[in-house]
Amino acid sequence: MNPEIQTFTDPQAWRHSAADLIYRRIGDAVAVRGRAALALAGGRTPQPLYEHLGRNPYTNTIPWSAVHLFWGDERCVPVTDPDSNYGMARRTFLDALTLTVGNLHPVPVQPGKERETAELYEADLRRFFTQEAPKAEGPLASFPRFDLILLGLGPDGHTASLFPGDAALAERKRWVAWVPEAPLPPRVPRITLTLPVINRARTVLFLVSGKDKKVIIEKVRADGDNPDSLYPAARIRPEGELIWMVLS
Ligand code: 6PG
């Protein structure tokens, strides 16, 4: 499916469009399956969106009790560390919501034990998704199907914590992989969903902002038909819909 590219110059319209898409896709999932599974992105870009989701009307209109939140990737640091993606999501919106504890699925970070962390996170995913009826078909049938995965874009074309040339990017069996040391700040070990999991999603939303991302966006889009692209973000070709919301 060809990506849908939406460009914005107004930050409010950008974050409202992203929040509205999330609201609609959650509603679609809950109507059909009684629950919604999302994977959130980390870093700087999604913070205005998360703050928006933590305010009316989304606090009251999104059926949060039916929403399960996972993370597309995580830095292997304590939740209190400013670099923690889970910690950032808690500060920007989750603490403002009344959520069922079992609906939050943060990466169970054990600093210094990345392999174990990845295996524990994958076990949580398997517990959650194995409840779904096994009607899957196709090459990615053995992978979990998120309703929506939110992704950012790094200056090197990485997304989640899938970095160019890294072994985690090449992982085709595991659902979760680890990166011993990220090549870009924060240069800490990372945990990441693998490419097959991301490409299994019903909806992938790339949320990108900043003039500094203009060049890499163009490089990624130019390489979007290359399954072996040097840019991991160019390899994101979900079975479902792929939407880019770019704030310039
Ligand atoms: C992370 C993210 C990562 C991020 C990009 C863009 O944990 O770092 O998941 O993939 O989305 O690096 O980061 P910014 O939004 O901070 O530019």
Side-chain angles (χ1 to χ4, degrees):
M1 179 184 286
N2 288 327
E4 179 184 333
I5 315 288
Q6 298 177 23
T7 57
F8 299 83
T9 55
D10 172 12
Q12 285 195 330
W14 172 73
R15 65 172 174 257
H16 178 75
S17 294
D20 190 55
L21 176 71
I22 291 169
Y23 165 73
R24 285 183 281 117
R25 291 300 176 266
I26 287 173
D28 296 344
V30 173
V32 174
R33 286 173 293 281
R35 67 184 190 179
L38 278 65
L40 298 179
R44 169 189 54 80
T45 303
Q47 295 186 32
L49 165 63
Y50 295 165
E51 289 162 355
H52 199 51
L53 289 172
R55 293 192 286 261
N56 278 330
Y58 301 105
T59 46
N60 300 323
T61 53
I62 289 179
W64 291 108
S65 62
V67 178
H68 287 260
L69 295 174
F70 297 80
W71 272 260
D73 73 318
E74 184 57 278
R75 293 83 177 268
C76 293
V77 295
V79 65
T80 51
D81 187 302
D83 284 334
S84 166
N85 289 337
Y86 176 51
M88 179 271 281
R90 289 283 306 270
R91 289 190 300 276
T92 49
F93 80 118
L94 296 180
D95 286 349
L97 300 174
T98 306
L99 289 170
T100 311
V101 173
N103 287 26
L104 289 180
H105 304 264
V107 176
V109 169
Q110 298 179 54
K113 295 184 176 178
E114 288 73 45
R115 174 191 289 272
E116 293 84 345
T117 299
E119 289 169 352
L120 286 170
Y121 189 42
E122 180 160 331
D124 186 18
L125 285 164
R126 287 185 182 275
R127 277 191 299 274
F128 178 82
F129 283 101
T130 306
Q131 298 163 20
E132 288 202 335
K135 297 190 297 295
E137 296 171 4
L140 300 180
S142 63
F143 292 92
R145 191 165 210 176
F146 279 91
D147 294 297
L148 186 142
I149 297 180
L150 182 62
L151 294 175
L153 177 65
D156 59 349
H158 83 262
T159 191
S161 282
L162 298 174
F163 293 95
D166 189 88
L169 178 63
E171 178 58 53
R172 291 295 179 273
K173 292 193 180 339
R174 290 187 174 96
W175 294 8
V176 178
W178 66 97
V179 178
E181 183 182 355
L184 289 179
R187 297 174 192 275
V188 297
R190 308 282 193 96
I191 303 296
T192 185
L193 294 180
T194 56
L195 192 61
V197 173
I198 296 173
N199 280 335
R200 182 85 170 116
R202 292 185 176 89
T203 296
V204 170
L205 171 59
F206 266 106
L207 198 64
V208 188
S209 73
K211 296 193 183 337
D212 60 326
K213 299 286 175 75
K214 185 175 185 305
V215 171
I216 190 59
I217 289 172
E218 289 164 0
K219 288 180 176 176
V220 165
R221 284 179 57 187
D223 220 18
D225 292 330
N226 177 4
D228 300 318
S229 173
L230 286 175
Y231 307 115
R235 300 192 191 188
I236 302 300
R237 302 153 70 197
E239 290 182 345
E241 60 182 346
L242 175 58
I243 298 173
W244 287 74
M245 292 189 182
V246 181
L247 174 65
S248 54

